[in-house]
Amino acid sequence: MAYISFNPNNYFRNKLHTGTGSAQSITFNESTNMTPDFIWVKRRESFNHRLIDSARGSSKFLSCNTTDAEGTDTAVISSFDTNGFSVGNDTSVNASGGTYVSWNWKAGTTSGITTNGSTVITPSAYSFSATSGFSVVKYTGNGNTTTKVAHGLGAAPKWIIIKKTSAGGDNWTVYHIAAGNDTSLQLDNNGGTSGGSDRFYDVTPDTVNFTLGNHTSVNASSATYIAYCFAEKSGFSSFGKYIGNASTNGPFIHCGFKPAWFMIKRIGSGYSWAMKDNKINPNNPVSVEMYANDSSGDTAGSAIDFLSNGVKIRSNSGTYNHSGISYAYMAFAEEPFVASNGDPATAR
């Protein structure tokens, strides 16, 4: 039984908004305020994703469906606000009449990151939350193998996304517990696992550091990088693997909460990073999806159900459920299966 002492909405929010073509504030409109440290916004048509974080600053953006270096533009995100964020007039986030979805994470602690004797790189800017198990860390590479970078979580991350920001051409490199420490996935494409010890040096992240090799996508000398790190927290986040059965009565993925956001990646080539959420899909079946590695907008994807304690796969598509195939998943909560007041999560 999952139980947490905090409201998931204090650390993760989904938000839909409609563009005006003029600068506007996007407010979460929840009972409690949440200032995001990581904003992932996508126009629900064919436009690049925009990823912005507090460690690099609101004017710096990345696109996870490209290998481009970071861009600078205050017309994308102009500020992180007390209960939301403000956008400029860039069409990727605020075209008149355009429709958008954003996924927002809060960290919040910007000093006192834990290091130990094995830490080689202390991030130059960061925000972390040991409570929710999320951190964003900016660091400069040294080009060496067995380089350890502090993440601040006090628990071992199960999912890490890294992008070189100072130059384009390198993939978004992903560590996921389901793929293991001796290889990596790439968020910007639909390929399978790639590389070996030159990415994560065959070392599983620990409670203080994650370990890097010397591949240019994660650790070139003097290059700058951003890493988004996620440790699993019962009742709030879940990262793992399931095996497909090729049935429309597919696997059940126990998360310990009713999901607000869910992403899947087949650990093999030719299949996209599919994302679904509870704002675009307020009811079951949850069918509409977007792809992290693609600029396309809303897509009529495969059916799944968001349940009070996890996800049920309702499709036999290759993206979700081929027989005997391993799939990596990532999920964040709308509400825990059992809340701090003892109330169970509601069904959809």
Side-chain angles (χ1 to χ4, degrees):
M1 180 178 295
Y3 176 92
I4 56 175
S5 59
F6 64 89
N7 183 342
N9 284 334
N10 291 342
Y11 291 94
F12 178 75
R13 302 272 176 92
N14 296 340
K15 178 67 178 179
L16 302 179
H17 75 269
T18 301
T20 63
S22 300
Q24 64 164 323
S25 295
I26 309 302
T27 304
F28 293 142
N29 295 323
E30 303 284 351
S31 59
T32 58
N33 291 339
M34 192 200 90
T35 301
D37 287 283
F38 174 32
I39 301 168
W40 184 339
V41 62
K42 176 70 176 72
R43 185 168 177 175
R44 295 171 64 187
E45 299 168 273
S46 184
F47 276 80
N48 286 341
H49 297 251
R50 294 290 188 245
L51 282 70
I52 303 94
D53 60 77
S54 60
R56 292 178 300 126
S58 62
S59 66
K60 305 291 186 180
F61 69 88
L62 291 161
S63 298
C64 61
N65 57 295
T66 77
T67 61
D68 296 346
E70 70 179 6
T72 302
D73 193 344
T74 57
V76 181
I77 302 297
S78 56
S79 64
F80 301 94
D81 300 337
T82 300
N83 193 26
F85 56 92
S86 293
V87 294
N89 61 1
D90 189 272
T91 55
S92 66
V93 296
N94 192 26
S96 179
T99 57
Y100 301 86
V101 61
S102 64
W103 307 297
N104 304 271
W105 288 263
K106 176 185 176 180
T109 303
T110 57
S111 63
I113 194 168
T114 297
T115 61
N116 60 22
S118 65
T119 299
V120 177
I121 295 176
T122 300
S124 58
Y126 56 83
S127 186
F128 66 88
S129 170
T131 300
S132 67
F134 167 63
S135 66
V136 50
V137 297
K138 177 183 177 181
Y139 67 93
T140 300
N142 61 19
N144 299 327
T145 58
T146 328
T147 293
K148 295 184 180 293
V149 183
H151 54 68
L153 299 180
K158 291 189 174 182
W159 182 35
I160 303 172
I161 306 170
I162 299 175
K163 180 65 177 76
K164 182 194 283 186
T165 60
S166 53
D170 282 292
N171 296 112
W172 289 71
T173 301
V174 178
Y175 166 82
H176 193 285
I177 188 69
N181 61 29
D182 59 351
T183 190
S184 64
L185 294 162
Q186 295 77 46
L187 190 64
D188 55 278
N189 63 51
N190 65 359
T193 55
S194 177
S197 60
D198 58 350
R199 268 72 164 188
F200 297 105
Y201 208 69
D202 301 356
V203 176
T204 300
D206 61 32
T207 59
V208 176
N209 303 308
F210 58 90
T211 302
L212 302 174
N214 61 358
H215 193 272
T216 60
S217 65
V218 296
N219 188 27
S221 180
S222 301
T224 57
Y225 298 86
I226 199 72
Y228 306 116
C229 307
F230 301 88
E232 189 171 85
K233 293 296 178 179
S234 180
F236 175 71
S237 59
S238 182
F239 314 101
K241 177 176 73 174
Y242 69 89
I243 307 298
N245 65 9
S247 170
T248 53
N249 182 20
F252 169 70
I253 303 162
H254 181 266
C255 297
F257 51 77
K258 180 166 67 172
W261 184 91
F262 181 76
M263 181 156 71
I264 193 78
K265 176 66 176 82
R266 177 170 169 162
I267 306 178
S269 61
Y271 294 89
S272 291
W273 297 79
M275 300 181 290
K276 299 176 185 285
D277 81 351
N278 64 346
K279 297 298 186 185
I280 296 175
N281 296 276
N283 301 298
N284 288 327
V286 178
S287 297
V288 178
E289 60 194 29
M290 291 184 178
Y291 307 111
N293 54 284
D294 196 304
S295 63
S296 60
D298 287 358
T299 301
S302 301
I304 66 174
D305 286 343
F306 282 177
L307 306 177
S308 62
N309 61 346
V311 174
K312 176 69 174 177
I313 307 298
R314 300 290 188 186
S315 168
N316 59 6
S317 74
T319 301
Y320 287 84
N321 192 22
H322 268 185
S323 179
I325 298 297
S326 296
Y327 294 83
Y329 75 86
M330 297 123 278
F332 292 89
E334 175 184 346
E335 59 179 305
F337 184 52
V338 176
S340 58
N341 62 4
D343 290 340
T346 57
R348 284 165 64 86

